[in-house]
């Protein structure tokens, strides 16, 4: 039998009969690799005749006839994972989890599987031996009699074992190690990843068994394999963190069963991952001295309010071109805020070096952090400290106005809970918000110059 080969784009999974320098689908250069393919798919008997008297087949269903019953979700003991998944694990869902090597993906899902005492779980490992997983389980100090291990990479063997065990939850570590007998290419190749994921998808949907696929990521931080992989699964989670910090962040990139704005925070300890129920405790540094260039922002990640510390340093520029350096914040957004201060406030940032950092290594994209960034910049510019009992929540517009932000009452309540005495919000947020029920002083401001006069 003649072996068939094709060329696949490693970035998007585009298939071509010959090698080409630039992918016509995603536009990337030098991403095509040659792989063996064997399409041994039997021809299906297609009957075009209607099977019912009304001219409709059994497979076609009217939308009004479909029952809209909400399926019961499987709640894990991990509240952070439940939040990120949109309220628990959905039966029949296919979840892809990506993260850097050594970040704690295997530990997180081994820990969660062991904590599900009443659920039969099958943990399929293609990278580690049973002894290695046993060592990690001993370190976690959690015992579960319904937890089963399978160290195998062939999908044919895996599904034979699944038929015998009939698990209620399947975890695959990792999808790049699996190999389908229907594809000739090596494990980890584009066609193998696509085929093995498709087989797992069919199993999950037909048996209503939730499946978690742990995947590798590339140098640029995206999940390894073709982009089509992310379209095939129901949920994509990104497990990220800085090697220099003890905590990890579980972020939703795609979710067919809930919001994509949710965030789960964990702390890595010797006995596994600990849930961080109050993220503000790790995002605000404990300091005794009043220092300039520091402001606290009340932000939201999904439904969760968080207080983060914004640090700014403004110094005289030594070189001809002033530097703009940011960590955890959008550089273009910083340049916009500096332009607003220059134009609307008359502050000469054009001759200053500006360094901005979100403390704790977290990245914030909520526009409500604008006001805190602006106040931190002004504090460093004037070398005047802002009280550690004051926080901010507001978006800054191009004309220098302070714009309203969403869920303001939750932000105020979080600031009050953490012992803050004053919070600056947009004047337009005060309409429709009952601030009298809070024991924290709420200061409404409308423009940048009002904020400056109130603080300095």
């Amino acid at each position: 039998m003649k072996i068939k080969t094709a060329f696949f784009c490693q970035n998007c999974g585009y298939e071509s009969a010959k090698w080409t320098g630039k992918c016509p689908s995603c536009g990337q250069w030098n991403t095509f690799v040659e792989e063996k393919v064997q399409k041994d798919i039997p021809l299906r008997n297609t009957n075009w005749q209607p099977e019912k008297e009304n001219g409709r087949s059994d497979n076609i269903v009217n939308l009004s006839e479909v029952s809209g019953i909400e399926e019961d979700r499987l709640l894990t003991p991990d509240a952070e994972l439940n939040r990120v998944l949109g309220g628990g694990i959905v039966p029949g869902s296919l979840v892809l989890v990506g993260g850097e090597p050594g970040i704690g993906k295997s530990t997180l899902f081994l820990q969660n599987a062991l904590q599900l005492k009443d659920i039969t779980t099958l943990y399929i490992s293609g990278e580690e031996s049973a002894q290695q997983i046993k060592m990690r389980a001993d370190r976690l100090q959690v015992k579960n009699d319904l937890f089963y291990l399978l160290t195998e990479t062939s999908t044919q063997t895996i599904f034979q074992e699944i038929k015998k065990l009939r698990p209620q939850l399947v975890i695959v570590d990792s999808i790049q190690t699996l190999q389908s007998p229907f594809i000739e290419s090596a494990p980890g190749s584009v066609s193998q990843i696509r085929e093995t994921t498709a087989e797992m998808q069919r199993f999950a949907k037909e048996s209503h068994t939730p499946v978690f696929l742990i995947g590798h990521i590339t140098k640029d931080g995206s999940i390894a394999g073709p982009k089509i992989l992310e379209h095939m699964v129901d949920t994509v989670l990104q497990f990220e963190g800085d090697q220099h910090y003890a905590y990890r962040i579980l972020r939703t990139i795609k979710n067919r069963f809930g919001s994509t704005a949710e965030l789960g925070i964990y702390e890595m300890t010797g006995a596994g991952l600990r849930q961080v129920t109050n993220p503000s405790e790790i995002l605000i540094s404990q300091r005794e001295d009043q220092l300039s260039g520091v402001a606290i922002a009340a932000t939201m990640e999904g439904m969760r309010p968080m207080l983060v510390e914004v640090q700014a340093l403004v110094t005289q520029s030594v070189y001809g071109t002033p530097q703009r350096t940011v960590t955890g914040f959008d550089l273009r957004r910083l340049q916009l805020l500096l332009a607003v201060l220059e134009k609307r406030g008359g502050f000469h940032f054009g001759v200053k070096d500006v360094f901005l950092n979100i403390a704790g290594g977290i990245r914030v994209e909520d526009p409500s952090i604008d006001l805190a960034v602006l106040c931190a910049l002004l504090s460093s510019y004037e070398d005047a400290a802002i009280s550690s009992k004051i926080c901010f929540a507001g978006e800054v517009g191009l004309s220098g106005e302070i714009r309203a932000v969403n869920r303001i009452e939750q932000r105020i309540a979080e600031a009050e809970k953490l012992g803050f005495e004053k919070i600056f919000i947009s004047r337009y947020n005060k309409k429709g918000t009952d601030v009298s029920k809070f024991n924290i002083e709420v200061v409404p401001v409308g423009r940048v110059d009002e904020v400056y006069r109130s603080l300095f």
Side-chain angles (χ1 to χ4, degrees):
M1 180 181 174
K2 186 179 178 182
I3 296 172
K4 294 181 181 179
T5 61
F7 291 86
F8 292 92
C9 172
Q10 290 179 300
N11 186 54
C12 67
Y14 181 83
E15 184 178 347
S16 173
K18 60 180 181 178
W19 187 89
T20 180
K22 184 180 179 182
C23 176
S25 176
C26 64
Q28 295 292 317
W29 288 89
N30 297 325
T31 55
F32 276 89
V33 290
E34 186 178 14
E35 292 179 8
K36 296 175 185 175
V37 288
Q38 184 179 350
K39 298 179 179 177
D40 189 15
I41 302 169
L43 293 171
R44 292 176 183 175
N45 184 19
T46 307
N47 185 6
W48 297 105
Q49 297 300 319
E51 297 179 16
K52 286 188 177 180
E53 293 181 1
N54 59 4
R56 202 177 74 193
S57 69
D58 288 328
N59 295 330
I60 299 174
V61 183
N62 192 290
L63 183 63
S64 59
E65 297 173 9
V66 179
S67 59
I69 301 169
E70 185 73 25
E71 289 199 52
D72 293 330
R73 290 178 183 250
L74 174 63
L75 288 175
T76 70
D78 189 341
E80 300 293 305
L81 182 61
N82 291 337
R83 176 190 288 110
V84 168
L85 291 172
I89 303 171
V90 176
S93 62
L94 190 64
V95 182
L96 177 64
V97 186
E100 291 182 5
I103 207 72
K105 304 183 296 295
S106 302
T107 303
L108 174 66
F109 285 95
L110 179 64
Q111 179 178 309
N112 275 291
L114 288 169
Q115 288 173 347
L116 288 166
K117 303 287 187 183
D118 303 325
I119 302 295
T120 304
T121 305
L122 178 62
Y123 190 97
I124 302 163
S125 177
E127 297 186 342
E128 296 177 298
S129 66
Q131 288 76 21
Q132 286 175 293
I133 297 167
K134 172 65 175 170
M135 284 169 60
R136 185 184 289 123
D138 290 342
R139 194 176 74 244
L140 296 172
Q141 297 178 350
V142 184
K143 293 191 182 296
N144 186 350
D145 293 332
L146 293 175
F147 181 84
Y148 295 90
L149 274 176
L150 175 62
T151 52
E152 182 58 59
T153 56
S154 171
T155 53
Q156 200 77 357
T157 310
I158 287 169
F159 288 124
Q160 286 173 4
E161 297 299 327
I162 283 174
K163 281 180 185 176
K164 295 176 192 172
L165 182 64
R166 296 196 177 276
Q168 296 164 278
L169 175 66
V170 175
I171 299 168
V172 179
D173 184 12
S174 66
I175 187 64
Q176 274 85 5
T177 61
L178 295 195
Q179 186 173 17
S180 171
F182 301 110
I183 301 291
E184 288 288 323
S185 55
S189 60
V190 173
S191 50
Q192 278 289 3
I193 292 173
R194 188 164 50 186
E195 178 62 28
T196 51
T197 304
E199 288 180 19
M200 284 293 170
Q201 183 189 40
R202 285 194 293 271
F203 160 69
K205 301 304 176 190
E206 290 171 12
S207 65
H208 286 274
T209 306
V211 178
F212 283 88
L213 306 175
I214 297 174
H216 300 161
I217 64 167
T218 56
K219 288 182 197 173
D220 61 352
S222 59
I223 293 172
K227 201 70 180 170
I228 194 172
L229 189 64
E230 295 181 30
H231 295 290
M232 292 168 73
V233 300
D234 298 310
T235 307
V236 180
L237 305 180
Q238 186 88 7
F239 200 44
E240 57 193 44
D242 197 312
Q243 298 288 351
H244 304 290
Y245 294 95
Y247 60 86
R248 305 283 184 265
I249 295 168
L250 188 63
R251 199 184 294 275
T252 318
I253 297 174
K254 169 192 174 181
N255 194 357
R256 286 177 179 157
F257 310 113
S259 169
T260 56
E262 293 299 341
L263 197 75
I265 300 182
Y266 299 88
E267 183 184 6
M268 180 64 83
T269 65
L273 289 151
R274 181 184 72 88
Q275 303 170 46
V276 177
T277 52
N278 182 15
S280 305
E281 71 186 30
I282 61 170
L283 299 175
I284 298 178
S285 59
Q286 307 300 321
R287 64 184 193 279
E288 296 177 359
D289 301 331
Q290 297 287 341
L291 303 171
S292 65
V294 177
I296 308 297
T299 72
M300 294 288 295
E301 283 287 350
M303 300 293 289
R304 162 186 279 187
M306 290 195 306
L307 282 109
V308 298
E309 184 178 300
V310 180
Q311 301 172 343
L313 180 62
V314 179
T315 62
Q316 193 67 33
S317 179
V318 181
Y319 307 101
T321 306
Q323 298 181 68
R324 304 282 184 261
T325 306
V326 294
T327 306
F329 191 68
D330 186 11
L331 177 59
R332 288 172 296 183
R333 192 78 190 165
L334 172 64
Q335 291 169 338
L336 182 148
L337 294 173
L338 291 174
V340 169
L341 286 171
E342 187 100 25
K343 176 76 174 178
R344 308 296 176 188
F347 298 97
H348 300 295
F349 281 94
V351 294
K352 305 278 188 181
D353 287 340
V354 177
F355 305 91
L356 190 76
N357 176 45
I358 307 299
I362 193 172
R363 180 168 183 82
V364 182
E365 296 177 357
D366 185 3
S368 67
I369 199 175
D370 285 357
L371 187 55
V373 170
L374 188 135
C375 292
L377 290 168
L378 289 174
S379 170
S380 182
Y381 185 92
E382 297 288 350
D383 201 17
I386 298 172
S387 170
S388 59
K389 296 295 180 183
I390 298 175
C391 63
F392 306 88
E395 183 183 353
V396 178
L398 287 176
S399 60
E401 83 277 13
I402 311 299
R403 301 168 63 87
V405 295
N406 62 348
R407 305 187 190 280
I408 192 64
E409 292 192 6
Q410 286 176 260
R411 300 172 196 260
I412 297 170
E414 180 73 7
E416 182 187 345
K417 187 176 80 174
L418 291 173
F420 284 85
E421 296 170 359
K422 189 185 290 187
I423 181 169
F424 282 77
I425 67 168
S426 170
R427 180 189 296 155
Y428 310 105
N429 257 131
K430 200 175 178 185
K431 297 172 185 175
T433 305
D434 183 16
V435 296
S436 59
K437 62 183 179 182
F438 298 107
N439 295 323
I440 183 174
E441 184 186 350
V442 180
V443 183
V445 286
R447 294 186 58 80
V448 171
D449 51 316
E450 289 180 46
V451 182
Y452 181 76
R453 285 194 298 271
S454 302
L455 290 173
F456 307 106

